[in-house]
Amino acid sequence: MSGPAAGTASAATTTDVVCLGESMVTFLPSQPGRLADVPSFGRGIGGAESNVACALAAAGHRAAWVGRVGADGFGEHLVETIAGYGVDTAAVRRDPDRPTGIYFRTATDRGTDTHEVAYYRAGSAASAMSPANVPYEELFAGRILHLSGITAALSADCLALLRELTAARPGRPLVSFDVNHRPHLWRGGDADASVLLELARQSDLVFVGEDEAEEAWGIVGAEAIRAALPEPSVVVVKRGSAGATVFASGLRPGPRSSIAGGAESAPDARSTEGGGAGNADTVTHVPALRVDVVAAVGAGDAFAAGFLSATLRGLPVRDRARHGHLMAAAVLTVPGDLTEPPARDHADRLAALDDDAWGRLRLGPGWTAADRAPEEVRTP
């Protein structure tokens, strides 16, 4: 198939979110230290888009992951593990000629100078994804199609695929795009910066870290990031410990309007000029939670999943960002990239707290237990 047909999505859609991207087998260190010194590794899985799919499925949504794996044991492990979270993996393709990607990492925080990652993904099955070999019917079968900049960096064919999927056309689902700037994956100098900006501007909902926007585009500050991304209906600027700022404009017409978001705003939201549909933005800042971090991996994917989950439910913008923070906190308080999220009613109670109570929350390991009330996780 050479490309998506107009009007592929329909009212009969049964999938909430379809996520496309590479998932790899991850080898996690048995102890801290340099890769040269770690004596053994445990096996896990890793992949930004499959992480989002797993978190959404665990939160009760109908999620699908579309990818390409090798016809090997690692590929089988990936598909079986992701399916075990309740994700639909029926559209995953097996490549008989290319291997499943793998990588090794140290136990230290990704943001530190001592963190090491050794990728073995060049020529992987996922890097062979292209407009000619992906199942467009499945990709366009959801209410949201979630993509990331990582896929664009894998190969020229993968970049062509993302350009196809983000191109405006009738019947396209809402496109969610996480910038996920990974400089080590790109080989074209500054080309990655312009490509990521192009793809983000063609999307409906964009997640971007304040730090990565500065690194990739030389843009500093949430307002400047929004100015560089005027087209998307919603831009979520992740600001680390400072929280998240959400720019949301009026809804776009067409099949995406029911969930694109932006008509609702938090009580303290302020309006500024600009916005994806040519309307005024509502700008909503939501402080981050205080979290006793066990491992700082997978938090960005979890935040995206929480925000998308609340978007699907039609919650106000403030609560979408709060659910993002809560989903991220669930992952930050466990060793791996994935964990069972808090029960929906538990998360809803926390997201509904007033600003003072939200500011007093401090979450540590075990906080997601269903029998924990909000007052039990507050700072004494």
Side-chain angles (χ1 to χ4, degrees):
M1 184 176 297
S2 60
T8 304
S10 72
T13 291
T14 58
T15 303
D16 291 324
V17 182
V18 177
C19 302
L20 173 133
E22 179 173 35
S23 191
M24 295 177 291
V25 171
T26 310
F27 289 94
L28 309 173
S30 59
Q31 65 185 45
R34 302 183 309 155
L35 286 177
D37 301 326
V38 174
S40 60
F41 296 81
R43 185 178 66 175
I45 67 169
E49 301 84 2
S50 59
N51 284 349
V52 172
C54 289
L56 284 166
H61 296 283
R62 295 160 299 190
W65 172 60
V66 177
R68 195 172 181 89
V69 299
D72 50 35
F74 287 149
E76 288 302 312
H77 173 68
L78 279 174
V79 174
E80 290 172 3
T81 303
I82 293 169
Y85 281 87
V87 176
D88 182 351
T89 58
V92 176
R93 299 295 188 259
R94 273 75 168 176
D95 190 320
D97 302 316
R98 297 175 181 86
T100 303
I102 64 173
Y103 74 98
F104 297 77
R105 67 171 175 83
T106 54
T108 50
D109 187 344
R110 180 181 291 145
T112 68
D113 292 337
T114 58
H115 183 69
E116 297 175 73
V117 180
Y119 287 103
Y120 299 89
R121 71 197 305 178
S124 70
S127 70
M129 289 189 295
S130 78
N133 64 17
V134 297
Y136 281 99
E137 291 85 357
E138 285 87 348
L139 286 172
F140 279 31
R143 299 170 66 193
I144 296 175
L145 173 61
H146 181 71
L147 310 168
S148 94
I150 294 173
T151 305
L154 298 181
S155 68
D157 282 343
C158 284
L159 173 55
L161 173 60
L162 258 64
R163 283 178 165 147
E164 284 260 15
L165 294 175
T166 57
R169 57 172 46 85
R172 188 188 82 173
L174 184 149
V175 173
S176 166
F177 182 73
D178 194 333
V179 171
N180 265 333
H181 182 225
R182 299 288 187 268
H184 60 274
L185 291 179
W186 293 87
R187 296 294 182 266
D190 294 332
D192 58 322
S194 60
V195 164
L196 293 174
L197 190 62
E198 169 200 340
L199 295 172
R201 292 182 66 175
Q202 292 178 174
S203 302
D204 302 299
L205 166 58
V206 175
F207 298 97
V208 58
E210 201 169 37
D211 54 347
E212 65 184 347
E214 182 174 3
E215 180 181 34
W217 304 323
I219 298 172
V220 179
E223 289 76 12
I225 293 170
R226 176 49 158 167
L229 298 171
E231 294 88 356
S233 295
V234 179
V235 174
V236 183
V237 180
K238 298 176 291 183
R239 306 175 62 202
S241 61
T245 299
V246 183
F247 298 85
S249 68
L251 303 183
R252 293 184 176 186
R256 302 186 296 276
S257 61
S258 63
I259 55 172
E264 308 111 329
S265 62
D268 59 349
R270 58 186 178 87
S271 294
T272 60
E273 293 303 314
N279 300 323
D281 270 339
T282 59
V283 183
T284 307
H285 177 68
V286 179
L289 292 161
R290 289 180 292 170
V291 179
D292 296 329
V293 176
V294 172
V297 292
D301 304 330
F303 180 95
F307 193 96
L308 292 175
S309 172
T311 298
L312 286 161
R313 297 170 61 201
L315 299 184
V317 170
R318 185 205 68 171
D319 290 359
R320 299 180 194 190
R322 283 190 171 187
H323 276 277
H325 287 315
L326 288 165
M327 196 81 86
V331 168
L332 288 169
T333 50
V334 299
D337 291 28
L338 293 167
T339 189
E340 188 74 19
R344 182 172 290 184
D345 60 346
H346 185 194
D348 283 344
R349 288 199 305 272
L350 296 181
L353 293 173
D354 62 40
D355 290 344
D356 287 341
W358 177 263
R360 291 195 301 270
L361 281 178
R362 181 163 186 163
L363 306 180
W367 76 269
T368 59
D371 58 349
R372 298 287 290 275
E375 60 270 16
E376 294 179 290
V377 292
R378 284 210 300 261
T379 303

